[in-house]
């Protein structure tokens, strides 16, 4: 499956580093919501759902975690461990986030407001939604 990674420009000088994220510029959609997760319980797997319409960019500005992506046919795995990298997660992709380092902050820029009706939280339903079949 196609994975779209983004490389953000690092504005580094002797004071440190700074990364800028701007909607419709280096973030390829209007950003309606930003959220982040931290203090993740060791061994925990988050996510386990897909979105019907939502697009997101995931970035780990601190620490690292692994993202599993599944389009219903293929699976891919991305380790987010660089504050200058982002991962685009389109709609209709099952995602799981795990192997968080203790200091990990996973930040997400989302194309829309929180809407529980946009979630598919059942894997069989997801397969039916994307493939029109049950596994
Ligand atoms: C996603 C992955 C990467 C809200 O009230 N508003 C929000 O905007 C969000 C994101 C969550 N919540 C509430 C709903 C739950 O009671 O926060 C609680 C935890 O949410 P959830 O279990 O959906 O968290 P994750 O880490 O499994 O998934 C989240 C996003 O929900 C999801 O859109 O793609 O991160």
């Amino acid at each position: 499956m196609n994975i779209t990674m983004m490389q953000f420009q690092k504005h580094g000088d002797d004071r440190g580093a700074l990364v800028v994220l701007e909607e419709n510029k280096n973030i390829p959609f209007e950003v309606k919501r930003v959220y982040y997760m931290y203090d993740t319980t060791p061994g925990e797997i988050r996510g386990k759902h897909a979105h019907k319409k939502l697009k997101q960019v995931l970035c780990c500005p601190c620490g690292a975690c692994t993202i599993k992506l599944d389009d219903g046919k293929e699976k891919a795995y991305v380790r987010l461990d660089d504050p200058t990298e982002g991962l685009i997660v389109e709609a209709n992709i099952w995602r799981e986030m795990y192997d968080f380092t203790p200091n990990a902050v996973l930040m997400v820029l989302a194309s829309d407001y929180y809407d529980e009706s946009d979630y598919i939280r059942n894997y069989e339903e997801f397969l039916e939604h994307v493939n029109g079949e049950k596994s």
Side-chain angles (χ1 to χ4, degrees):
M1 68 188 280
N2 274 344
I3 300 295
T4 310
M5 294 297 301
M6 316 178 67
Q7 186 63 54
F8 304 130
Q9 186 184 355
K10 177 177 164 185
H11 300 269
D13 57 34
D14 54 12
R15 298 169 298 169
L18 185 152
V19 170
V20 182
L21 307 177
E22 294 177 295
E23 67 177 8
N24 294 325
K25 290 191 174 177
N26 60 350
I27 301 301
F29 50 77
E30 190 180 338
V31 177
K32 294 265 182 63
R33 182 165 53 108
V34 177
Y35 60 91
Y36 48 89
M37 54 202 80
Y38 61 98
D39 264 357
T40 305
T41 306
E44 195 57 67
I45 303 176
R46 299 198 65 122
K48 299 186 200 166
H49 58 251
H51 283 282
K52 295 174 195 163
K53 293 194 177 140
L54 192 73
K55 284 187 201 176
Q56 304 191 107
V57 171
L58 275 56
C59 174
C60 250
C62 179
C65 69
T66 299
I67 314 296
K68 175 183 171 183
L69 302 172
D70 176 348
D71 64 5
K73 293 190 170 68
E74 291 178 83
K75 296 174 178 53
Y77 302 83
V78 176
R79 185 75 176 160
L80 288 178
D81 58 2
D82 180 340
T84 69
E85 275 183 5
L87 168 68
I88 298 189
V89 182
E90 299 284 353
N92 298 315
I93 301 287
W94 187 265
R95 81 285 318 264
E96 297 181 9
M97 304 89 78
Y98 57 97
D99 274 355
F100 287 81
T101 58
N103 62 340
V105 177
L106 175 60
M107 182 180 69
V108 182
L109 288 77
S111 64
D112 214 338
Y113 301 112
Y114 178 71
D115 175 7
E116 186 58 37
S117 72
D118 189 62
Y119 284 73
I120 305 173
R121 293 193 182 270
N122 177 289
Y123 189 68
E124 294 299 312
E125 258 176 50
F126 164 70
L127 290 179
E128 214 176 343
H129 183 75
V130 293
N131 296 330
E133 65 194 43
K134 291 191 184 206
S135 65

